[in-house]
Amino acid sequence: MGEDIGNFTDPSDGVLTEAAAVFGLLASPARLHLMWALSQGESDVTCLADRVGGALPAVSQHLAKLKLAGLVRSRREGRRQIYYVDDPDIVTVVRVAVGQLTARSHQVPAPLRRLREAGV
């Protein structure tokens, strides 16, 4: 590792391992949806569960994992726990990835879209 190719130096094994762990967390559609929702602004768990269509206990567990990874934080407001994104760079990654894929999904011809939906 660390080889310089052009103007780019390969990241260390530790950085790649950490990045893979973050991408692994975001590989869950539910957690990605939560990150997308939180990239729009802070929210409590009840509103997040309503928004992403998940059960409250499941959403709480997903948020706990994201919190342990340092991607989100929370603060107490009375009896409510308010969640927000702790890493603005992750917001950028999520917005770019989801935005690009959303744009592409509108460009795919209907027959190909049906094949993708069928898992082919």
Side-chain angles (χ1 to χ4, degrees), residues 38-117:
L38 289 172
S39 76
Q40 311 302 310
E42 58 187 34
S43 184
D44 68 9
V45 68
T46 304
C47 291
L48 287 168
D50 288 343
R51 182 164 179 185
V52 303
L56 198 60
V59 170
S60 291
Q61 287 181 355
H62 287 304
L63 288 167
K65 288 180 182 180
L66 293 169
K67 193 173 177 181
L68 279 172
L71 301 180
V72 301
R73 292 183 78 182
S74 66
R75 70 172 190 285
R76 191 159 286 290
E77 249 183 37
R79 298 178 67 202
R80 298 182 328 146
Q81 196 79 343
I82 305 297
Y83 290 88
Y84 56 95
V85 176
D86 191 36
D87 187 341
D89 293 331
I90 294 299
V91 170
T92 302
V93 170
V94 168
R95 284 183 176 172
V96 168
V98 172
Q100 286 294 100
L101 291 170
T102 299
R104 286 183 191 165
S105 73
H106 298 297
Q107 297 171 356
V108 176
L112 289 178
R113 189 175 315 121
R114 282 193 295 275
L115 285 174
R116 286 184 183 170
E117 290 169 355

Side-chain angles (χ1 to χ4, degrees), residues 20-41:
V22 168
F23 283 118
L25 275 171
L26 297 178
S28 159
R31 285 191 291 272
L32 186 58
H33 197 172
L34 288 168
M35 289 301 295
W36 174 261
L38 289 172
S39 76
Q40 311 302 310

